[in-house]
Structures are given as C-alpha cells and as structure tokens.
Amino acid sequence: MREKLNTIMLIDDSEADNFLHKRVITKADVCNNVVVTFGGAEALTYLQTAIDGVYSCPDIVFLDINMPGMNGWDFLEEYEKLPEEMQAQMLVCMLTTSEAHEDREKADKYGVVEEFSHKPLTKKMLLGIIDQFHDRDNVK
C-alpha cells in the first residue's frame, strides 16, 4: 500500500482541467491536500509563502505549458531561482496538450521536470507518477 503524499499542486489556467484533475487526484485518495493554482505567478506566490516559518512544498506539481501571463516555461525559469527550502523534493510533471517534439526536448533540459504527459490526467497516469516519486525518494 502506498503512503499518502502530503500535497499535489496543479498549475493550469483552465478551470475545467483543474476541476477534472483535482477530481482524479481526490478520488484516487493519494494525498492529503490538492492545491489548485491558475497560472505560474499564482503558483510561485504559493511556493514563496511561509506559514509559521515553513514553506508548503508540494510533493508533485502538474504543470501546464501554455498559459497566459507566466507560462510553464517561465514558471520553471523562476522556480529554479527559488531558495532550496522552497523547492523541497518536488517532482514536476508537465501535463499538457502540446504534441510538439520541441516541447518535450525543452522539458528535458530542466532537472526538476521528471515527466512529460498529455492531458487529461488519468488515475493510471497518476499512480504511475506517484510510484516514480516513491522510487526516487527510496534511492536517495
């Protein structure tokens, strides 16, 4: 049996996608908390906000690429500049409608991106990514 994650974060400008993906995560009962943000800037604000001196670092982030304002690439650029305590042991999964081979190659250039998947998020995809997360943590 899998140990529950603390937090999974969704970064997507689509209300419908966030609703669907949150529902998949909630029904799978794999984490204690699902944080929904509607863009990169909102997500960075969340990551940079400490509560009682502790940053709420999600275990897994599902990140869209194409968003107005700060897109997924812009978010990753800014994320890499954050202090280490704000980054924690987060696994980033690009979750996108993009079929462009260039996007997959670009994602590979970011050390924090460990998965590149196509929308919509399914329970099978989610469980596979969580298993990957747990395997990665057991190696460290």
Side-chain angles (χ1 to χ4, degrees), residues 65 73 76 80 92-94 101-116:
I65 294 174
W73 306 123
L76 289 171
E80 288 186 338
V92 174
C93 174
M94 303 299 289
H101 185 68
E102 300 82 32
D103 283 339
R104 183 178 292 273
E105 288 177 350
K106 190 171 183 178
D108 289 341
K109 293 179 182 173
Y110 291 93
V112 70
V113 177
E114 297 198 29
E115 184 70 31
F116 189 96

Side-chain angles (χ1 to χ4, degrees), residues 11-12 15 49 65 92 115 129:
I11 307 173
D12 197 319
E15 204 168 317
T49 303
I65 294 174
V92 174
E115 184 70 31
I129 290 165

Side-chain angles (χ1 to χ4, degrees), residues 7-96:
T7 302
I8 294 177
M9 181 181 209
L10 301 171
I11 307 173
D12 197 319
D13 62 308
S14 168
E15 204 168 317
D17 287 343
N18 278 332
F19 175 81
L20 173 66
H21 297 156
K22 181 177 181 180
R23 183 174 164 96
V24 168
I25 294 165
T26 302
K27 287 184 82 173
D29 195 29
V30 294
C31 67
N32 298 319
N33 187 30
V34 180
V35 174
V36 177
T37 59
F38 291 93
E42 184 181 333
L44 282 173
T45 298
Y46 172 84
L47 293 172
Q48 293 170 325
T49 303
I51 298 172
D52 295 327
V54 177
Y55 294 97
S56 300
C57 300
D59 300 297
I60 298 176
V61 171
F62 289 100
L63 174 64
D64 188 23
I65 294 174
N66 298 311
M67 298 179 286
M70 181 181 281
N71 65 29
W73 306 123
D74 297 334
F75 170 82
L76 289 171
E77 289 294 325
E78 293 304 312
Y79 172 81
E80 288 186 338
K81 296 176 189 174
L82 293 176
E84 195 171 312
E85 65 270 13
M86 292 179 192
Q87 294 184 22
Q89 295 185 30
M90 191 165 79
L91 181 149
V92 174
C93 174
M94 303 299 289
L95 190 59
T96 181

